Amino acid sequence: MANMVYFVIILLVFAGCEAYEAKYELVNGIPYNKDAPAHDEYPYCPPDKIIDIDGTEITIPCFCSQGEDGFLPIFYCNDIPNTDYITAYFDRPFPTYLAARITVSNSDTLEIPANVFADKQPIRITWTNNFIKSVDPNAFALTKPELEILEIQYEPELNDFPFTSLNGFPRLRELWLNNNNLSIISDLAEMSVPSLQIINLDFNNMAVEFPKLRFLPELRIISAEASELIGVSNDLPFEELQKLEEINFRGNKNIGSIQTGSFVFDQQTSINNIDLSNCGLVSVEPGAFAGLLSNTNVSLKDNLLTSLPEEAFRVMLETMIGGSGKLDLSGNDIVCCCDVNWLISNAGLEAALIGGKCAGGALINQLPLDYLAPLCPQMSSSSSLYS
Ligand SMILES: *[C@@H]1O[C@H](CO)[C@@H](O)[C@H](O)[C@H]1NC(C)=O
Ligand SMILES: *[C@@H]1O[C@H](CO)[C@@H](O)[C@H](O)[C@H]1NC(C)=O
């Protein structure tokens, strides 16, 4: 009930402000509106107390302080009963429309509505632990010119995110959507953000193949750890992501098999780490990996691989021994019969291996060079040994 009164009062206050048009002039490089009420100590913050026309004091929903750079304000909105309070608050004239950061946490908000911060333009938005179920495609539309980091995390009921609503944001560098319950990522592949460097989707509930991203020319890191992925789409190479350095898909226990064409890079690639540890892998198809660099690390640690087919691994290892790249096979029990003969009889290739135990306990890279050769004259895979 008290909340209701609070909200009605805020609405009444704003009804009177409709005709207001803020006038900004640059002060220390920051757009400043000297007619807007300001905080006693921080000239770029609004006051801590809002006095209504009838003299009543209105509690503000967000706490403003001076940012680390000494100018741009930081807002913490914690424990808010409803997003309407947030929007009504930011709809007021503030000393500046810029903000270093706005954080909304531990609040009862069901959705992030359109233009939630009114005309204010934060550089970083953090939305965490609010039990939201949806994000309006226009939630951050007005922050487009300034937004660099968007974090929406620990929202266990959030199933969907409008990825393409961020298309064309000119400065967006980092998108953190970890620890939600995202299952619908259908427009992720169409995301087109010229400046995006990091996309983090760890700990979601996707139950799909991870799509090939194409329109993110600055992307360096893709992470979707333990997100219930069932694979990686193999329809396209990674050729348009020339800055991509790291792919982290560890802990997606239902991947099972890496299909041909899943991790194919072209000559312009920067890839140096692919982590597929603990993905329930039982097989890697021929040509699953192609175009890696000599310094690329591939981790297939803690999977269920029992064989190392030459068509799947030979080119990878030959590339790696030309640099510092490693294939990590620890935590797999390989059946060391004739189908690993190609590996141990090619002096040097095993130098690119980390771990890789035979089911009998010996490390593959410590088997003597000529160990299997006499037993596998035609490279036949019928004889069995060491398991
Ligand atoms: C997460 O999503 C799944 C369906 O994708 C649903 O069954 C589950 O209840 C959701 N979890 C929460 C906490 O809403
Ligand atoms: C690859 O792995 C090796 C051994 O663990 C490590 O020394 C090296 O720094 C890694 N390289 C990259 C690019 O992460």
Side-chain angles (χ1 to χ4, degrees):
M1 190 55 200
N3 289 342
M4 205 48 203
V5 171
Y6 169 26
F7 179 53
V8 168
I9 291 174
I10 290 196
L11 286 188
L12 288 176
V13 170
F14 291 117
C17 295
E18 258 169 55
Y20 179 86
E21 211 191 308
K23 294 211 170 44
Y24 296 97
E25 53 192 77
L26 282 184
V27 176
N28 297 318
I30 295 174
Y32 190 69
N33 171 10
K34 61 178 176 12
D35 298 330
H39 194 280
D40 295 342
E41 292 167 48
Y42 315 126
Y44 292 98
C45 279
D48 274 348
K49 294 187 170 44
I50 300 172
I51 309 293
D52 194 4
I53 316 161
D54 68 1
T56 25
E57 197 174 281
I58 296 170
T59 320
I60 53 155
C62 303
F63 177 74
C64 180
S65 61
Q66 194 157 320
E68 280 160 22
D69 65 2
F71 297 112
L72 290 185
I74 293 179
F75 294 87
Y76 280 100
C77 311
N78 192 43
D79 207 5
I80 315 295
N82 185 313
T83 25
D84 292 335
Y85 293 90
I86 297 174
T87 305
Y89 173 70
F90 285 103
D91 205 18
R92 303 183 61 84
F94 280 6
T96 179
Y97 58 82
L98 295 177
R101 184 171 185 177
I102 300 178
T103 298
V104 179
S105 60
N106 305 309
S107 298
D108 285 330
T109 55
L110 290 180
E111 67 151 2
I112 308 184
N115 301 317
V116 61
F117 301 127
D119 63 338
K120 304 307 178 289
Q121 294 183 18
I123 291 169
R124 178 173 184 170
I125 295 172
T126 305
W127 201 284
T128 180
N129 277 303
N130 303 281
F131 296 96
I132 51 165
K133 294 179 196 291
S134 66
V135 178
D136 189 284
N138 287 314
F140 310 115
L142 294 177
T143 71
K144 184 170 176 172
E146 301 294 336
L147 189 63
E148 293 180 14
I149 302 176
L150 176 58
E151 299 164 305
I152 302 178
Q153 302 158 317
Y154 300 94
E155 299 291 358
E157 294 178 28
L158 185 63
N159 299 126
D160 195 356
F161 181 80
F163 289 98
T164 49
S165 71
L166 300 174
N167 283 5
F169 275 50
R171 293 173 174 224
L172 186 64
R173 275 186 288 117
E174 301 182 19
L175 178 61
W176 296 82
L177 297 173
N178 54 293
N179 299 79
N180 298 311
N181 194 20
L182 296 183
S183 57
I184 304 167
I185 55 164
S186 42
D187 67 337
L188 174 59
E190 302 308 316
M191 226 186 145
S192 170
V193 182
S195 49
L196 195 67
Q197 295 181 23
I198 297 176
I199 181 161
N200 187 304
L201 297 164
D202 293 352
F203 304 102
N204 279 290
N205 194 3
M206 298 193 267
V208 291
E209 290 190 339
F210 198 86
K212 282 282 155 57
L213 308 178
R214 283 178 294 161
F215 312 116
L216 303 169
E218 293 293 320
L219 195 66
R220 290 191 297 110
I221 299 175
I222 297 175
S223 191
E225 177 173 351
S227 272
E228 307 293 337
L229 292 176
I230 57 168
V232 180
S233 91
N234 61 350
D235 52 348
L236 292 168
F238 277 98
E239 66 187 341
E240 275 148 285
L241 304 187
Q242 298 182 353
K243 303 270 177 74
L244 188 63
E245 294 168 13
E246 188 176 323
I247 301 174
N248 170 22
F249 288 158
R250 71 178 156 250
N252 287 283
K253 295 185 185 193
N254 299 321
I255 293 187
S257 174
I258 308 287
Q259 299 167 19
T260 305
S262 296
F263 293 93
V264 175
F265 299 86
D266 90 345
Q267 291 174 336
Q268 304 304 317
T269 185
S270 312
I271 192 72
N272 62 27
N273 248 307
I274 302 176
D275 191 341
L276 291 161
S277 54
N278 197 9
C279 284
L281 298 182
V282 294
S283 68
V284 175
E285 292 182 0
F289 296 90
L292 302 184
L293 298 173
S294 61
N295 292 334
T296 309
N297 284 339
V298 175
S299 176
L300 301 180
K301 211 173 140 180
D302 299 327
N303 280 297
L304 305 166
L305 298 173
T306 53
S307 66
L308 298 177
E310 183 169 4
E311 319 81 69
F313 291 103
R314 186 180 186 118
V315 174
M316 179 196 289
L317 293 173
E318 283 174 351
T319 307
M320 287 172 171
I321 57 171
S324 63
K326 300 279 182 240
L327 170 62
D328 191 340
L329 288 173
S330 29
N332 291 276
D333 284 336
I334 310 295
V335 179
C336 292
C337 48
C338 290
D339 62 354
V340 297
N341 191 37
W342 68 270
L343 174 52
I344 59 175
S345 61
N346 277 276
L349 281 191
E350 76 284 358
L353 284 187
I354 295 178
K357 266 201 182 111
C358 298
L363 276 170
I364 294 174
N365 59 13
Q366 286 169 6
L367 293 181
L369 209 58
D370 55 357
Y371 193 81
L372 288 167
L375 298 164
C376 313
Q378 266 81 53
M379 300 291 282
S380 114
S381 57
S382 57
S383 63
S384 129
L385 183 83
Y386 246 100
S387 46

